[in-house]
Amino acid sequence: TYAEIRRGTLSQVLDSGIAVLVLADIGQLNEEERERVTEFVENGGMLLRFSGPRIAALTGNDSLIPVLLRGGERLMGSALAWEEPQRLAVFPEGSPFQGLAVSEEITVSRQVLAEPSIELADNSWARLEDGTPLVTAVSRGQGQIVLFHVPASPGWSSLPLSGLYVEMLRRTVNL
């Protein structure tokens, strides 16, 4: 009820005059796609990406990701792991999500990790209780690139099953 959804090839969707392009765990784009999406963002569009196994497999710097990522993902019971699923931290001041109530019931059991950097705190719109980013963003040209460090589906987190998720998406799209 908050946005019109259009589906099609990347070219069809970009040619339709959209304001927000959503990519759910799309790994590497080919050179032509990368150029089209970069132009879209630099001209004022928003690229909203969701993580998953393909994003976790990316290595090196990807200009269509807001922060540098570590290879792989953090999973309960593995290296760089937690004992228990993590909960969301209160949204930081200045975040588009500031003021939204964080439910204790929302947990994350897997996420794509960002490399620590000086800019990471400024680029983090949402974090887990341990301080690791859950949503990061960066301005590029006149537009923005936003990354949820979990998928848009509930496999890695209960966030997509919550009303908070809907509000987070609504605030993001309204930017």
Side-chain angles (χ1 to χ4, degrees):
T1 60
Y2 306 111
E4 178 183 334
I5 297 176
R6 298 181 190 166
R7 295 178 185 214
T9 66
L10 187 59
S11 290
Q12 289 170 334
V13 173
L14 289 173
D15 290 342
S16 71
I18 60 167
V20 179
L21 174 64
V22 179
L23 299 178
D25 193 28
I26 302 295
Q28 287 290 89
L29 297 173
N30 67 41
E31 191 58 37
E32 180 182 332
E33 293 170 331
R34 175 177 301 289
E35 288 175 12
R36 290 279 324 265
V37 173
T38 299
E39 180 181 353
F40 165 76
V41 171
E42 289 178 353
N43 289 328
M46 175 182 283
L47 173 59
L48 175 57
R49 297 189 76 171
F50 292 90
S51 297
R54 290 184 191 116
I55 295 288
L58 291 177
T59 56
N61 193 7
D62 183 325
S63 63
L64 295 175
I65 299 283
V67 295
L68 187 60
L69 299 177
R70 289 187 177 187
E73 75 262 5
R74 183 162 80 167
L75 168 66
M76 279 180 43
S78 68
L80 301 171
W82 312 283
E83 295 286 325
E84 298 178 7
Q86 287 284 303
R87 296 191 190 324
L88 276 65
V90 173
F91 297 114
E93 189 174 318
S95 166
F97 311 136
Q98 182 181 353
L100 292 176
V102 175
S103 169
E104 290 287 318
E105 296 175 4
I106 298 171
T107 60
V108 174
S109 58
R110 223 172 170 172
Q111 80 183 114
V112 173
L113 286 173
E115 284 287 348
S117 72
I118 294 170
E119 303 86 19
L120 188 57
D122 292 337
N123 293 344
S124 297
W125 286 1
R127 295 185 191 94
L128 300 179
E129 285 182 335
D130 68 357
T132 57
L134 179 65
V135 180
T136 54
V138 68
S139 295
R140 294 270 165 80
Q142 297 175 351
Q144 286 189 311
I145 300 173
V146 179
L147 175 68
F148 277 69
H149 290 244
V150 294
S153 60
W156 292 12
S157 170
S158 61
L159 178 63
L161 301 174
S162 71
L164 176 60
Y165 182 70
V166 174
E167 288 304 314
M168 291 170 73
L169 291 177
R170 189 163 115 181
R171 286 192 180 186
T172 301
V173 169
N174 283 339
L175 293 175

